[in-house]
Amino acid sequence: MNDTTFDYIIIGAGTAGCLLANRLSADASKRVLLIEAGRKDDYHWVHIPVGYLYCIGNPRTDWLYNTEPAAGLNGRSLRYPRGKVLGGCSSINGMIYMRGQSRDYDQWAAITGDARWSWDHSLPYFKMHEDHYLGANELHGAKGTPSEVVKQGQSTYHQTLRHRNAGGEWRIEKQRLRWDVLDAFAQAAVQAGIPATDDFNRGTNEGVSYFEVNQKSGWRWNTAKAFLRPTCYGRPNFEMWTAAQVAKLHIDTQADGSLACTGVDVWNGNERVQAVARQSVVLCAGAIGTPQLLQLSGIGPSALLQQHGITPLADLPGVGANLQDHLQIRAVFKVKGVKTLNTMANSWWGKAAIGLEYLLHRSGPMSMAPSQLGAFTRSDPSQPWPNIEYHVQPLSLDAFGEPLHNFPAFTASVCNLNPSSRGTVNIQSADFSQAPLIAPNYLSTDEDRRVAADSLRVTRRIAAQPALSPYQPEEWKPGTQFQTDDELARLAGDIGTTIFHPVGTARMGRLDDPLAVVDSELRVRDGRGGLVRGLRIADASVMPSITSGNTNSPVLMIAERAAELLAIDAAELG
């Protein structure tokens, strides 16, 4: 930490931060600093797919957040995992590659008034970093086939990426195992009116299929492997600090009264170190860390900041507001005459066989994503688009982290893709080391409670189809005694859990949107009709509305857009 002046300072070496570091450091004339509060990803369980079981809830890799007790959850609070390790959530998540639906991005374009966020304009930025196992086509990218963005761009930035052969870093593969009970569930879903699909990422994800995953030859493929090693490590203009937590942004008032972000204060475990940014600080700390750091730095709701003795510099009520997440409702069905992980892993011999298969072939249960089979459909026929998602697993347990049940079973978890409930992330003191208060307000609207009840009925309808009848599925949880709307909604509050998809706490919007924190080019507003110079956000917090699926892949697309915007801005400034 000798020379601490950089062109770009990126806060958070997670999903977005690793990609941004790769793209921005491609220009050898720009010094790039990447700061990560967690440690390096040299913990072995990060790389074994089933290792998420040992990473979530582990201070080595997880921030260990919890939500506030929620009325919609009947007073319960939930564990709220967020990656605190190189690679961020891509090192501990479910590895599912999912873009969402085209309407999600068209809605972003409408909300921001910027057509560049539409599906048609966003698709090339997804393809830009993809390395799809089936190769490149009109919907997917692959290593060695430059995307339209890289191939056709005429700026110095795009020329640099072409020179560096950038693109195709994010590996997408099919899973390395199948289960008879999941195949039967897929057939039952078709019998219940859900079409089979071979691609969830074509703009509409309606259908049932096995998920595609971010793995490479049976290993987890996190963003540190994809974008940092060895590419960035070999660049003399790139520097990375790990186990270093940003405590505060430097927000200075300029001679004309405008605000500028000029650097950061960093706690390295021993002392505070200042780093200076010549061009831009980019917040990639996620939907929890980003609003927390903004508020600590004087950007946020003025009443909240004053309550904690922080001088408001930019009164932005949207900082920490608009929190959205996917709440899953887990139904467990006992089965007979079919293999499940419950029965495979209930003995030392079974566990040894599982370990040996992975050791020899990088396949089997140790290569599993948390959920293998997915389905997207409507909670009731009146819905205009698929509004619920299934994550189906050949196993069951009482709660995440608990032992598997001692009977054969599968779990069908269903979530509302477009919840209307909105929550908050707010600091509870001016101490950067104290976790913020996280209040998702799950099931706080009549609409969300109705979708929860209806989605459980869809689960039961699928389980009742002929394809599953050979295995005699018996609803063990929640139990068939719950039937009415009120009973099912109350039940959802008792058993609902997060799928860890928080977004929206520093949302994009038009300049006349009072809750918008950034404009459509991801620049932070100053609360007076202008912008905070030198400060951008590129993570899930900028999503104005949650995508209709898992959120990791959309964050990478946002990061691609941010890198291009930053590089082009820098070129225009000379």
Side-chain angles (χ1 to χ4, degrees), residues 69-74 323-325 327 416 419-424 439-450 452 489 492-493:
L73 299 183
N74 302 322
L323 174 62
Q324 300 158 62
D325 191 15
L327 185 77
N416 178 356
S420 54
S421 299
R422 295 292 183 270
T424 57
N441 289 335
Y442 297 117
L443 300 175
S444 59
T445 67
D446 290 341
E447 179 185 355
D448 286 355
R449 290 189 289 272
R450 183 174 62 254

Side-chain angles (χ1 to χ4, degrees), residues 217-262:
S217 302
W219 298 99
R220 175 189 289 273
W221 195 244
N222 68 357
T223 54
K225 292 178 187 174
F227 300 104
L228 297 186
R229 293 193 300 270
T231 308
C232 288
Y233 286 11
R235 292 174 176 170
N237 61 316
F238 171 77
E239 190 167 327
M240 181 173 69
W241 299 350
T242 55
Q245 184 172 353
V246 176
K248 188 178 181 180
L249 306 174
H250 288 167
I251 308 294
D252 297 336
T253 301
Q254 306 299 291
D256 62 359
S258 64
L259 299 177
C261 183
T262 58

Side-chain angles (χ1 to χ4, degrees), residues 67 70-78 327 442-443 492-494 496-497:
T67 66
L73 299 183
N74 302 322
R76 291 187 302 132
S77 64
L78 301 178
L327 185 77
Y442 297 117
L443 300 175
D494 286 335
T497 60

